[in-house]
Amino acid sequence: MVPFEYEAPGTIDEAIALLAKHRDEAKVLAGGQSLVPLLNYWLARPRAVLDINRLPLDGVRVEDGRLRLGALTRHATLEDSDAIAQACPVLAEAAALIGNVRVRALGTLGGSLAHADPAAELPMAIVALDARLTLQGRDGRRTVPAGEFFRGYLTTALEPVELLTEVDVPVTRGMGHAVEEFARRLGDFALVAVTVLMGLDRAGRVDEARVAFAGVAPTPIRAPGAEDMLRGHEPTAERLSRAATVARDSLAPESDAFVSAAYRKHLAGVLARRALARAMTRAVESACASA
Ligand SMILES: Cc1cc2nc3c(=O)[nH]c(=O)nc-3n(C[C@H](O)[C@H](O)[C@H](O)COP(=O)(O)OP(=O)(O)OC[C@H]3O[C@@H](n4cnc5c(N)ncnc54)[C@H](O)[C@@H]3O)c2cc1C
């Protein structure tokens, strides 16, 4: 590890001022589960590390139909919180698939989104949820839709003098959800992952469908063709299977050191079919429970 200055600002303004002072030479430290390995291997050599763990960014609240999560919300909180389980259970399911219990105890929502690993579960989930991200810099706050936040491999819309402070997602009560993934070993990053959200109208037809993938492109991506072919239709086994095929065929993953592009694409189709079926079952159960 290359030596660096360590700062632990006590307020957001102080943190922004330190970012402005150090600009590209600074790295924000949240849970450290991605940053510390980069420091250890000299892949990141910041002049200053700004530890944001003293900032008041770990709040979880439901307000105006949206779940608002501070950037320092730990993966373990996403997994275990009753409020999150009720308002947006897909986040709990996605968080439970991350790494291991140690990583989930320390890693944060904001850190996962800012790091933007293309195979990570939370970026995919928030893209499926059409989340909004609050970024705070010297000129105040701005809100960026999740679909515009991820710009490329490990690259986001965050400017050097900006902090991700909050993420808000719509409350998804009543919608079915499922996250499916395949990893080479338990606890590894997924080769491919998929998140599905599905809502049904009173006639049992799909009135909302979201399908998002991780591990198949430099950023998490939606499969709008599959979503369109579900909306307005009964979620029959045949339609779900066709939607999974449409989703798979819309992807153009690349081969890498682990697997071929063809295998990744095949996996995406299989996982999408499973996730669609599970989300549909939950949507039907929820519709029956509220009838
Ligand atoms: C063994 C192991 C297995 C893992 N497996 C998985 C997995 O299966 N799936 C998965 O998704 N992840 C996995 N991870 C990564 C883990 O989820 C990390 O917690 C996450 O990627 C980063 O969150 P963090 O809070 O630790 O961020 P840090 O490591 O502290 O920071 C990561 C990056 O984000 C920036 N940053 C952090 N917070 C902010 C903020 N609020 N505003 C602006 N920039 C910020 C930092 O400067 C840094 O560049 C694994 C990690 C380990 C060590």
Side-chain angles (χ1 to χ4, degrees):
M1 201 181 278
V2 178
F4 50 77
E5 281 175 43
Y6 172 84
E7 312 254 21
T11 66
I12 294 178
D13 285 348
E14 211 183 308
I16 305 285
L18 286 166
L19 280 176
K21 177 177 157 200
H22 295 291
R23 298 194 63 89
D24 292 338
E25 304 275 358
K27 275 285 179 195
V28 168
L29 173 73
Q33 297 306 293
S34 294
L35 182 60
V36 172
L38 292 177
L39 295 173
N40 282 338
Y41 289 110
W42 292 27
L43 295 169
R45 301 186 206 185
R47 201 152 49 95
V49 168
L50 310 185
D51 182 343
I52 60 169
N53 285 281
R54 290 172 59 210
L55 303 185
L57 294 177
D58 58 355
V60 173
R61 64 189 199 282
V62 176
E63 206 176 85
D64 301 331
R66 298 191 71 92
L67 172 66
R68 309 189 81 89
L69 301 160
L72 286 174
T73 305
R74 308 281 159 187
H75 305 330
T77 304
L78 295 175
E79 197 182 351
D80 296 337
S81 150
D82 288 341
I84 294 170
Q86 281 176 24
C88 194
V90 71
L91 285 174
E93 190 164 320
L97 293 167
I98 296 174
N100 56 50
V101 71
R102 187 187 58 81
V103 172
R104 296 197 294 277
L106 293 170
T108 65
L109 172 62
S112 175
L113 303 184
H115 188 62
D117 191 296
E121 288 85 358
L122 295 176
M124 164 186 70
I126 69 137
V127 163
L129 284 161
D130 282 332
R132 298 186 305 211
L133 287 79
T134 304
L135 313 185
Q136 191 162 340
R138 268 181 305 189
D139 300 329
R141 291 184 193 147
R142 64 186 176 118
T143 305
V144 178
E148 294 170 22
F149 181 73
F150 301 102
R151 296 283 167 87
Y153 180 74
L154 302 182
T155 309
T156 70
L158 272 165
E159 298 287 344
V161 186
E162 260 181 341
L163 270 184
L164 169 58
T165 54
E166 191 177 76
V167 179
D168 68 272
V169 299
V171 168
T172 59
R173 221 168 267 134
M175 286 178 93
H177 69 275
V179 184
E180 289 282 342
E181 70 173 41
F182 184 78
R184 288 187 311 153
R185 292 173 311 189
L186 189 68
D188 277 4
F189 272 95
L191 288 175
V192 177
V194 60
T195 295
V196 171
L197 289 159
M198 192 185 294
L200 301 178
D201 65 17
R202 282 165 175 270
R205 285 184 294 257
V206 177
D207 64 1
E208 190 52 272
R210 320 261 183 85
V211 182
F213 288 95
V216 292
T219 64
I221 50 168
R222 292 274 284 269
E227 296 173 359
D228 287 346
M229 81 169 297
L230 290 166
R231 265 187 222 106
H233 296 278
E234 262 181 62
T236 58
E238 193 204 341
R239 186 157 288 273
L240 297 186
S241 172
R242 277 171 50 207
T245 303
V246 167
R248 179 197 69 195
D249 291 348
S250 70
L251 305 173
E254 296 199 344
S255 299
D256 59 21
F258 302 115
V259 290
S260 68
Y263 180 68
R264 227 173 253 276
K265 200 163 167 170
H266 172 73
L267 209 47
V270 172
L271 295 171
R273 192 166 299 120
R274 286 183 194 160
L276 283 162
R278 215 150 55 76
M280 183 272 287
T281 304
R282 281 180 165 151
V284 170
E285 283 167 4
S286 165
C288 293
S290 63

